[in-house]
Amino acid sequence: MPALVIHGVDDPLVPVAGGADIARNIKGAWLLEVNGMGHDIPAELIDLFVANVCANCARAPALPGT
């Protein structure tokens, strides 16, 4: 299944290298590094997250019989 890793570049708790490492260790994963984002989900970025989650879901293979 496709994976999307979203990581704030300004995260004070988990360095951005941690998100990059996760994405690198999941075959075919996408990494979205968000400038100006910390360890929270700002409301003004919801549209960005929704667009990327939808794009990631579109990468999933069809289930048999659907």
Side-chain angles (χ1 to χ4, degrees), residues 2-8 16 18-26 29-34 37 52 56 59:
L4 170 64
V5 178
I6 300 174
H7 203 290
V16 71
D21 184 58
I22 290 170
R24 196 171 34 253
N25 284 286
I26 300 173
W30 284 357
L31 173 62
L32 174 62
E33 293 180 353
V34 183
M37 187 176 101
N52 278 272
N56 188 60
R59 299 188 314 136

Side-chain angles (χ1 to χ4, degrees), residues 1 5 7 9-10 13 22 24 28 35 38 40 44-45 50 53 57 64:
M1 287 293 124
V5 178
H7 203 290
V9 172
D10 299 321
L13 300 176
I22 290 170
R24 196 171 34 253
N35 290 321
D40 59 345
E44 60 269 15
L45 295 177
V50 168
V53 168
C57 290

